[in-house]
Amino acid sequence: MSTHEDVDLSERNDLARTDDEPIRILDADGNVLPNATVPDLSAEELLSMYEDIALARRFDERAISLQRQGRIATYAPMTGQEGAQVATSYALEDRDWLFPTYREHAAKYVHGMSLESLLKPLRGHRDGYAIPEDVNVLPEYIPIATQLPQAVGMAWGHQLQGRVEEAVLCHFGDGATSEGDFHEGLNFAGVFDVPAVFVCNNNQWAISVPRDRQTASATLAQKAQAYGIEGVRVDGLDPLATYEVTRAALEKAKEPTDGERRPTLIEAVQYRYGAHTTADDPSVYREDDEADSWRERDPLERLRNYLYSEGILDDDLDDELTDRVEATIDDAVAAAESAATDPDRLFDHVYDEPSERLREQRAELNALREKYGDDAFSEVLE
């Protein structure tokens, strides 16, 4: 819900909402709600959004499987949150900047990163973090909330340079709202009225800490009021609503009308279906059936049902998209796993000057490689 008395994003668009509920366009079955207007997206764009959400869902399943097989390192699943990730990135222009966390795999992919580049760092290839020159994505942030002040810094810098047509979109989780960097970032955003949109992916859990232990505030969106900016809640499991709210916020960030402030805090209400990471066991701290009510509003199913009802999608086309998703992911996995490297590089950046112990370890590894060959290490992994 909007918490700025003078500005309400929903006034820019005819979106279905009540005072206490997040903005929605689709109901749980994918039907357009009364008084809601579907975003101005072509059939091709809607199909593309659907395919990217389907790809994100399947990529998540494959990545978890790869981690369980020891083929990639610890991975942060996104199932349940991929709809909001894809939708927010669809609202970005190429010139806009994305600040992701460790979970925004789909957001990065849609804004220009390759699937291969998402996998390579998880296999120990540091060049996977390298961002192509023509892609406006920052490397993922692991520490909680540290990206917020930096996102504000970039937006403020653009503003000082007269580049307000380049907005910044910054992702973070509900747990980040308990960090000082959240306060500092949003406070500066309000004071300097920077062209930035802050997307809080409220997935109900900060690892094992539930949402109601983060804050006594009724909503996370209402925290925007303290900083003099607008806050809005959206159903993060509704890709169309999430897209439209983000699009309107980015429009306002670049071209505010009289009385509008550029920054917006979006609380995307969603749910993390699985574990925090593959090193986490959610059964320890939440009930097994807790996700059931959220799955009834699954973003992939809702959008699929809407596209079927509009005659945009049918079984044959859905099968074609599914095959294409599988092939795309297969190619990405194969490319990531075939990336050449030298195991000796493991030691290059541990210290500026290698210690005696490090030199011993390097010598030990190279002796084993010489004795058994590098193929022996691959056989152990397989």
Side-chain angles (χ1 to χ4, degrees):
M1 61 183 176
S2 173
T3 57
H4 191 286
E5 294 181 359
D6 299 320
V7 183
D8 188 343
L9 272 176
S10 65
E11 293 176 359
R12 286 176 170 248
N13 307 279
D14 190 15
L15 301 171
R17 62 177 295 171
T18 68
D19 289 341
D20 299 323
E21 291 295 319
I23 291 172
R24 294 188 177 94
I25 290 177
L26 300 177
D27 67 14
D29 296 320
N31 303 305
V32 178
L33 289 163
N35 301 320
T37 301
V38 174
D40 185 19
L41 293 168
S42 68
E44 291 74 18
E45 289 170 322
L46 288 167
L47 278 172
S48 179
M49 180 184 290
Y50 169 73
E51 183 174 351
D52 283 339
I53 295 173
L55 183 146
R57 176 69 58 88
R58 184 60 181 139
F59 177 84
D60 213 48
E61 294 169 352
R62 289 288 298 277
I64 293 171
S65 176
L66 290 170
Q67 193 281 329
R68 296 309 190 208
Q69 297 172 56
R71 293 161 68 183
I72 64 172
T74 302
Y75 172 77
M78 59 180 164
T79 298
Q81 301 183 229
E82 67 275 79
Q85 290 189 26
V86 170
T88 51
S89 282
Y90 263 73
L92 292 170
E93 295 182 83
D94 289 344
R95 62 188 174 183
D96 296 328
W97 287 84
L98 175 67
F99 280 67
T101 75
Y102 48 81
R103 200 182 305 279
E104 270 73 53
H105 318 296
K108 292 191 292 184
Y109 171 71
V110 171
H111 203 49
M113 298 294 292
S114 68
L115 288 184
E116 177 189 351
S117 71
L118 302 183
L119 290 169
K120 287 178 71 176
L122 297 173
R123 289 184 53 79
H125 297 276
R126 66 191 185 100
D127 60 321
Y129 283 115
I131 310 297
E133 288 292 333
D134 59 343
V135 176
N136 290 354
V137 176
L138 272 289
E140 65 187 49
Y141 285 75
I142 305 298
I144 306 303
T146 55
Q147 68 273 25
L148 277 91
Q150 295 182 26
V152 172
M154 175 178 279
W156 187 19
H158 288 170
Q159 188 176 44
L160 293 173
Q161 297 168 15
R163 296 162 56 190
V164 292
E165 73 283 355
E166 298 178 37
V168 170
L169 188 143
C170 179
H171 283 276
F172 55 97
D174 46 297
T177 64
S178 293
E179 298 288 338
D181 282 341
F182 169 81
H183 162 76
E184 293 155 7
L186 267 68
N187 191 52
F188 268 73
V191 168
F192 295 104
D193 196 27
V194 301
V197 175
F198 304 94
V199 179
C200 176
N201 295 293
N202 177 11
N203 67 13
Q204 312 306 315
W205 290 91
I207 309 183
S208 60
V209 178
R211 153 67 181 84
D212 60 9
R213 295 298 299 272
Q214 289 293 340
T215 179
S217 299
T219 72
L220 298 179
Q222 71 180 181
K223 291 179 179 291
Q225 188 172 11
Y227 310 109
I229 67 174
E230 183 177 10
V232 58
R233 299 185 85 210
V234 66
D235 181 351
L237 298 176
D238 181 346
L240 298 187
T242 303
Y243 165 82
E244 185 60 17
V245 165
T246 307
R247 186 205 60 77
L250 288 164
E251 178 183 287
K252 179 169 70 71
K254 299 171 186 179
E255 298 181 4
T257 60
D258 292 342
E260 287 185 321
R261 307 280 292 171
R262 293 181 186 273
T264 302
L265 169 62
I266 298 173
E267 178 189 354
V269 182
Q270 53 198 255
Y271 193 79
R272 189 192 80 213
Y273 290 175
H276 172 71
T277 71
T278 50
D280 171 47
D281 178 7
S283 68
V284 174
Y285 53 82
R286 68 185 192 191
E287 299 296 328
D288 291 340
D289 60 353
E290 183 177 302
D292 292 350
S293 62
W294 295 89
R295 289 182 184 275
E296 293 174 0
R297 295 186 283 115
D298 183 77
L300 184 61
E301 292 298 323
R302 283 165 92 175
L303 188 55
R304 177 188 286 125
N305 290 343
Y306 168 73
L307 295 178
Y308 265 88
S309 70
E310 293 294 309
I312 297 173
L313 183 66
D314 58 29
D315 289 346
D316 289 340
L317 182 53
D318 203 11
D319 290 342
E320 178 184 329
L321 297 182
T322 298
D323 290 343
R324 189 157 64 226
V325 162
E326 288 293 336
T328 299
I329 296 173
D330 285 344
D331 290 346
V333 172
E337 294 194 322
S338 64
T341 189
D342 184 348
D344 194 65
R345 293 178 61 192
L346 283 169
F347 303 91
D348 286 350
H349 302 288
V350 179
Y351 299 113
D352 183 38
E353 292 292 334
S355 66
E356 181 61 30
R357 178 60 182 143
L358 199 64
R359 284 193 288 268
E360 292 173 357
Q361 291 175 344
R362 180 177 239 157
E364 183 179 0
L365 174 62
N366 287 332
L368 289 170
R369 293 173 64 196
E370 184 175 351
K371 181 176 181 179
Y372 297 106
D374 286 348
D375 290 344
F377 294 92
S378 300
E379 291 170 4
V380 169
L381 289 176
E382 292 172 357

